[in-house]
Amino acid sequence: MRVLHVAAEMFPFVKTGGLADVVAALPAAQRAAGLDARVLLPGYPAVLDALRRSRKVHDGGTLFGAARVTLRQGVLTDGELPVYVIDAPYLYARDGGPYQDEAGREWRDNLQRFALLGWYGAHLAAGDAGPQWQPELLHCHDWHAALACTMLRLHPPRRSRTVFTVHNLAYQGRFELGDFPLLGLPARCLDGLDGLEFHGQLSFMKAGLVDADAISTVSPTYAREITTAEFGCGLEGVLRSRADDLHGILNGVDPAVWNPATDAHLAATYDAADLDGKAQCKAFLQQELGLAVRSDAPLFAVVSRLSQQKGLDLLLEVLPGLLAAGAQLVLLGSGDAALESAFREAARAHPTAVGVQIGYDEALAHQIIAAADVILLPSRFEPCGLTQLYGLRYGTLPLVRRVGGLADTVDTTTGFTFDTADAGALSDAVQRALIAWRDRPHWRTLQQNAMNRDHSWSAAAAAYTSLYRSCRLRS
Ligand code: ADP
């Protein structure tokens, strides 16, 4: 089966979160399973720099106000995965992130930047943006790719079916209603239950939800949660109306990137049969971050975006109790300025027990997940969560709030869970982890259970294939 993934991120070239990891791993797993999977990406500088063996396959002229748009096909670095890259310097050739400038402000032309991504997804699928290869299934990821579903649904000689995957419903791609004409869509696409209009704005996310042939999200629990007012971000009604087409498929772990037995970032490698290397990783990290080098101090860790979603304000509340019990905390992350400075302050106040690195650091993320005893995810909501999966694989027990993908992947045989998003419930779970930590044989059993869990991408890839096969054209 020919599948084209349309996405705004792909590890290691451009990444702000789990989406990038999925877009790197899923097409590779699908190709290993015999599908002809390919990826369409915006031509950010890092993507164009990595593009090899490329040739121009389409001339887009001045689409969405961008002078000189071309579509190139090639591979990235030494990879085998065929990629289509939209070379549109006016829209994509700039420093900063994929969605925001260096000061954290949304790019003012994000509507055009991601309408162009959707346009190419739809037109490749319709067979009129490059003659040679046409996907049977267009797999659009998050709001950035959502307009492909709308544009393809409008396209008369449409041949491809569409799956829209929600990686995080909280990021919706909302724009001024007055900018609708810039999209070049017929007026009937705007209004009504099936229109792009959402509370007086344009919503790309809504477009994907109403126009895709099938919808998926990244865990079965999140698939149920987003049909409720608590988690639906206002789109719960739309999602309920498509309940029969809504599926939850858990993400996997890419073993080429996340494997403690082969991880080149680690001071020492290890596996489930021999955890000596894990102890060395812990001592190394404690030393690197200026913490007391103590194997008997339970090391709690966070590797996360610092946003309201992640519940790390609750962690600040329970931190005094955690430290009083002799534990240590390491945090790597960036985002909300108030959280950044609160964690920095905690590190200043407790230099031998709290290590904080503000920023994004791939190598340090691996070192922390290998070194820690407990990985913390007290999230208010969590579509899937990858960090707890990495924790399981590295024998680093997850302590999670039981929501979304966290509820689907962590239980009392592999970690610690709590239900209510408050400091009291988190503190109880921390106490349970501390009690378990003191019982070494029990801890070792939990680690074995965690490390033996199978979260391979092959299972997820097979689930997507059956979704693709069952997906019917929406009229
Ligand atoms: P989300 O997509 O909501 O950010 P996920 O758990 O799905 O959360 O994925 C987060 C990904 O980003 C993981 O691969 C995690 O290791 C990585 N990550 C998050 N913050 C950092 C950071 N500061 N440095 C390096 N990697 C990070």
Side-chain angles (χ1 to χ4, degrees), residues 215-227:
I215 304 165
S216 76
T217 188
V218 286
S219 69
T221 295
Y222 193 60
R224 285 190 297 277
E225 288 172 345
I226 56 179
T227 62

Side-chain angles (χ1 to χ4, degrees), residues 141-161:
H141 297 269
D142 264 349
W143 71 263
H144 328 105
L147 279 198
C149 303
T150 305
M151 292 172 175
L152 191 58
R153 198 174 172 201
L154 290 166
H155 212 282
R158 169 180 176 224
R159 296 179 202 103
S160 167
R161 285 158 294 147

Side-chain angles (χ1 to χ4, degrees), residues 132-271:
Q132 62 315 80
W133 186 86
Q134 200 178 347
E136 294 154 278
L137 196 294
L138 192 66
H139 191 155
C140 302
H141 297 269
D142 264 349
W143 71 263
H144 328 105
L147 279 198
C149 303
T150 305
M151 292 172 175
L152 191 58
R153 198 174 172 201
L154 290 166
H155 212 282
R158 169 180 176 224
R159 296 179 202 103
S160 167
R161 285 158 294 147
T162 52
V163 169
F164 179 56
T165 296
V166 178
H167 294 262
N168 193 335
L169 195 64
Y171 299 94
Q172 299 187 355
R174 286 163 73 159
F175 301 97
E176 295 291 314
L177 205 54
D179 286 343
F180 179 73
L182 297 174
L183 297 175
L185 293 170
R188 68 175 189 281
C189 292
L190 185 59
D191 297 322
L193 289 177
D194 267 11
L196 263 68
E197 192 273 334
F198 181 64
H199 294 292
Q201 290 184 298
L202 298 172
S203 166
F204 278 31
M205 177 65 84
K206 186 181 171 204
L209 296 180
V210 296
D211 288 322
D213 297 318
I215 304 165
S216 76
T217 188
V218 286
S219 69
T221 295
Y222 193 60
R224 285 190 297 277
E225 288 172 345
I226 56 179
T227 62
T228 68
E230 186 183 355
F231 295 97
C233 303
L235 287 162
E236 58 275 10
V238 177
L239 282 154
R240 274 200 297 272
S241 75
R242 300 222 51 200
D244 291 346
D245 302 319
L246 175 60
H247 307 264
I249 299 176
L250 271 176
N251 289 333
V253 174
D254 187 342
V257 183
W258 293 97
N259 180 355
T262 56
D263 192 329
H265 295 300
L266 306 188
T269 53
Y270 60 92
D271 59 25

Side-chain angles (χ1 to χ4, degrees), residues 15 17-18 21 303-305 310 332-333 359-361 365 385-387 390:
K15 168 167 168 174
D21 293 6
V303 176
S304 181
R305 291 184 294 112
K310 302 292 181 180
L332 167 64
Y360 183 89
D361 186 333
L386 289 171
T387 319
Y390 304 150

